[in-house]
Amino acid sequence: MEQLLSEQVKKSRTPARLDFYQSATGLILGLFMWAHMLLVSSILLGNESMYWVAKSLEASFLSKDPTHGYPILVTFAVLGVFFLFIVHAGLAVRKFPSSWKQHRVFRSHMKMMKHKDTNIWYTQVVTGFIMFFFGSVHLYIMMTHPDKIGPYASSDRFVSDWMWPLYLILLLAVEAHGTIGLYRLAVKWGWFDGKNPVSNRKKLKFLKNLLAIFFIVLGLFTFAAYVKIGIEHRDKQGERYIPSSLTSQAKPEALINYQS
Amino acid sequence: MRQEQQNGRKLKFHILRFNPQIEGDKPKMVTYELTEALGMTVFIALNQIREQHDPSLQFDFVCRAGICGSCAMVINGKPDLACRTLTSKFPKGEITLLPLPAFELIGDLSVNTGKVMRAVSERIEGWIHDKNMGEIDLTKMEVTMDPDLADNIYELERCVECGCCLAACGTKRMRDDFLGAVGFMKVARFLMDTRDKRTEEDMYEIIGDDDGIFGCMSLMGCEDFCPKDLPHQHQIAYLRRKMVTVK
């Protein structure tokens, strides 16, 4: 009650903070997703590359045994992303059409205007909504199975664990939502307005389209690579990948133990 | 120049007709045909339709030159000024006219923008605020303003309050309490004016919530459909940056 009274005298600063945090979490998540895409696409360079990326992210360089990492680090990283994801979703949902009437008005507005920036906002609403569910499933699995990341383990998850339909939808939703979101952030805060905001916005829009195409194409190739490995590896589900550089040499003791 | 235009091609105008004053009247689309003339604008065509087809057709105009902002309407889906839209812009010769959404309909293509614009001005208190205004000595010379600042203020003050920015705004369409670009432009204008003694904190009281600057979803309808090409995107971003840092 006192707070409500004080807001009559001085307007609450909370809406400013909410707007800022929505943008900030969106920025971190958007950039994270680009990095994520580049990292998982290492499979296109071969199993060994992806193995190296996965092990490096588990900080295996801190261990004497190259096959040993610290997957708990992945759990913490996912926990952090999950937290940002939930905060961002909570803040962004404030902007969703909140009734059938609002939704209907917005749809008819889109139909009338055929205005690109208005339409891609709706794309963000739809893809955001999809990610509430599908993103949560993915994040939870990665958080609870941080050690199951590798050329074979990930491919098995695609095919044998039937995650590929979810990943395909997530790929399209994330890349669309992320690139549109980052473009909108730049416009919203005027980061690249410069001396000529009109022409700079056109350039930003071009860049947005280029990046969206790049990441979706890269994503689809990556998706295909994991599915292909997953199908080939279906009979040996659960077997972990060991790089040939390690198997051809004398095996370290830890590796032998690990395999047995 | 295209041959058919020289000869005067046939134009088809599909216009929403509805008079809320007439009991039982229902909105309907009515088609009018007329011959295109050289340099014809939608405004000229509307006058012709009213003269030749139906004198009861309602639409607003004053200046015929894009200065008064009265003749804004939705032309083939886009909010724009009728007097500044050449019919030659539409190669198919089919032109659909609707009244501006987001405003109270007076009849046919006429909407009450004045009511909304007045409310916007009152809401943002669109006038110079200076507590010492009463002590101004009228016998003294007025303090001069830097010409660059005057130019910048003039740039923002070119708004003709036509209402295209509100009609083009998806946020305004969904949430009626949203202030919209015309209001933000005025706030930016008074924030820039050194004669207005209001601080950023004072402006936060006006636009510092989800009905104000933080409600804007950057759909950019205002920027892309402003007939006066006002720098909405730049000013809204500027206000957002200012308001988010207000302590």
Side-chain angles (χ1 to χ4, degrees):
Chain A
M1 187 64 204
E2 269 176 34
Q3 199 186 345
L4 281 177
L5 275 177
S6 74
E7 280 173 19
Q8 294 297 316
V9 183
K10 188 181 163 194
K11 209 166 223 172
S12 166
R13 291 339 188 209
T14 306
R17 285 190 207 115
L18 297 181
D19 196 49
F20 175 78
Y21 289 133
Q22 186 185 342
S23 291
T25 50
L27 176 67
I28 299 169
L29 289 168
L31 294 176
F32 170 76
M33 285 323 298
W34 281 355
H36 179 284
M37 188 70 247
L38 293 174
L39 292 172
V40 295
S41 69
S42 58
I43 195 77
L44 295 173
L45 299 175
N47 288 351
E48 201 150 339
S49 306
M50 196 270 172
Y51 178 83
W52 182 81
V53 167
K55 282 293 157 200
S56 299
L57 291 174
E58 287 176 10
S60 66
F61 45 83
L62 296 177
S63 161
K64 279 183 187 159
D65 174 3
T67 61
H68 180 264
Y70 303 93
I72 187 77
L73 294 175
V74 175
T75 300
F76 283 124
V78 179
L79 202 64
V81 173
F82 214 162
F83 174 74
L84 289 176
F85 175 77
I86 292 168
V87 171
H88 183 71
L91 292 170
V93 81
R94 298 175 305 140
K95 309 284 180 186
F96 276 37
S98 62
S99 62
W100 172 78
K101 194 179 169 192
Q102 280 191 0
H103 183 261
R104 195 198 60 172
V105 166
F106 197 85
R107 290 294 296 174
S108 79
H109 179 69
M110 279 169 69
K111 208 173 149 194
M112 178 187 95
M113 299 245 302
K114 297 183 178 69
H115 176 235
K116 196 79 208 259
D117 282 42
T118 302
N119 294 350
I120 57 174
W121 180 80
Y122 192 76
T123 309
Q124 273 194 299
V125 171
V126 173
T127 50
F129 191 74
I130 289 169
M131 283 191 284
F132 282 155
F133 311 100
F134 289 35
S136 299
V137 171
H138 171 59
L139 282 162
Y140 191 81
I141 291 176
M142 296 327 289
M143 195 169 67
T144 51
H145 299 82
D147 56 325
K148 297 266 172 59
I149 301 172
Y152 289 165
S154 298
S155 301
D156 283 346
R157 191 162 40 246
F158 264 79
V159 177
S160 302
D161 291 343
W162 268 93
M163 288 293 279
W164 67 266
L166 184 127
Y167 284 159
L168 186 61
I169 292 167
L170 261 186
L171 165 70
L172 299 173
V174 167
E175 296 311 336
H177 192 95
T179 24
I180 296 170
L182 289 171
Y183 159 76
R184 197 180 302 285
L185 272 185
V187 169
K188 191 173 193 170
W189 295 94
W191 291 333
F192 304 104
D193 275 4
K195 285 210 171 110
N196 192 344
V198 177
S199 76
N200 284 349
R201 177 163 152 243
K202 272 189 197 142
K203 285 179 202 154
L204 274 178
K205 209 181 255 188
F206 177 74
L207 191 66
K208 166 196 75 110
N209 292 336
L210 209 65
L211 283 166
I213 292 168
F214 170 73
F215 278 107
I216 287 176
V217 169
L218 181 69
L220 288 173
F221 274 110
T222 305
F223 177 86
Y226 283 111
V227 169
K228 181 173 174 285
I229 299 168
I231 291 170
E232 288 163 0
H233 197 251
R234 202 160 27 186
D235 299 333
K236 290 185 241 164
Q237 188 196 351
E239 177 208 41
R240 297 301 297 264
Y241 175 80
I242 312 262
S244 55
S245 58
L246 292 177
T247 48
S248 59
Q249 293 163 8
K251 289 175 185 174
E253 202 178 333
L255 186 59
I256 297 166
N257 289 344
Y258 177 77
Q259 278 181 314
S260 62
Chain B
M1 193 185 304
R2 300 222 319 256
Q3 192 63 35
E4 57 177 331
Q5 210 176 328
Q6 254 178 341
N7 296 339
R9 60 174 179 160
K10 287 274 176 237
L11 293 175
K12 268 190 184 171
F13 283 85
H14 312 287
I15 301 177
L16 182 119
R17 300 298 312 268
F18 174 51
N19 188 345
Q21 305 297 327
I22 300 171
E23 209 176 323
D25 194 22
K26 292 220 162 56
K28 57 184 178 293
M29 296 303 291
V30 179
T31 302
Y32 303 94
E33 278 191 34
L34 54 88
T35 309
E36 188 174 41
L38 232 132
M40 185 181 243
T41 62
V42 171
F43 164 75
I44 294 171
L46 280 170
N47 273 305
Q48 245 181 56
I49 292 169
R50 186 145 72 181
E51 279 165 25
Q52 296 169 6
H53 295 275
D54 190 344
S56 73
L57 178 66
Q58 298 182 65
F59 59 94
D60 299 321
F61 71 95
V62 179
C63 77
R64 308 167 274 100
I67 298 163
C68 74
S70 302
C71 64
M73 56 186 68
V74 179
I75 305 167
N76 278 355
K78 322 278 185 197
D80 209 342
L81 297 178
C83 71
R84 294 227 319 199
T85 308
L86 292 165
T87 53
S88 58
K89 204 175 130 186
F90 307 103
K92 281 184 189 161
E94 303 251 350
I95 300 169
T96 303
L97 301 177
L98 302 171
L100 276 192
F103 294 96
E104 181 192 317
L105 182 75
I106 294 170
D108 301 333
L109 301 172
S110 168
V111 293
N112 195 345
T113 49
K115 192 174 163 186
V116 173
M117 294 305 165
R118 187 185 170 99
V120 166
S121 277
E122 285 174 356
R123 182 162 158 191
I124 67 129
E125 302 192 6
W127 52 86
I128 299 283
H129 287 57
D130 185 353
K131 279 180 191 147
N132 303 321
M133 196 82 105
E135 296 159 21
I136 287 174
D137 185 352
L138 292 174
T139 59
K140 274 190 184 164
M141 278 286 280
E142 197 179 354
V143 182
T144 52
M145 182 184 272
D146 175 51
D148 286 341
L149 176 64
D151 279 350
N152 288 340
I153 293 175
Y154 181 70
E155 166 71 6
L156 306 192
E157 209 158 64
R158 291 187 298 111
C159 174
V160 294
E161 302 187 350
C162 62
C164 285
C165 60
L166 301 184
C169 176
T171 312
K172 176 72 182 171
R173 296 288 314 276
M174 277 201 292
R175 305 182 174 102
D176 197 37
D177 289 335
F178 180 60
L179 180 62
V182 56
F184 298 137
M185 192 53 71
K186 284 178 195 293
V187 171
R189 178 244 173 275
F190 283 102
L191 207 50
M192 194 183 275
D193 196 328
T194 45
R195 294 166 300 178
D196 193 327
K197 304 300 179 204
R198 279 183 288 184
T199 60
E200 283 166 17
E201 283 79 12
D202 294 330
M203 290 309 191
Y204 189 97
E205 291 302 311
I206 301 168
I207 55 167
D209 57 23
D210 282 351
D211 290 333
I213 196 75
F214 304 121
C216 167
M217 305 194 293
S218 312
L219 304 176
M220 291 297 121
C222 54
E223 170 83 10
D224 295 341
F225 292 97
C226 176
K228 305 301 280 187
D229 292 326
L230 287 165
H232 292 291
Q233 172 203 341
H234 189 64
Q235 290 304 325
I236 292 174
Y238 169 78
L239 283 179
R240 192 189 296 272
R241 291 198 304 270
K242 282 277 168 224
M243 291 301 111
V244 92
T245 51
V246 167
K247 292 274 180 290

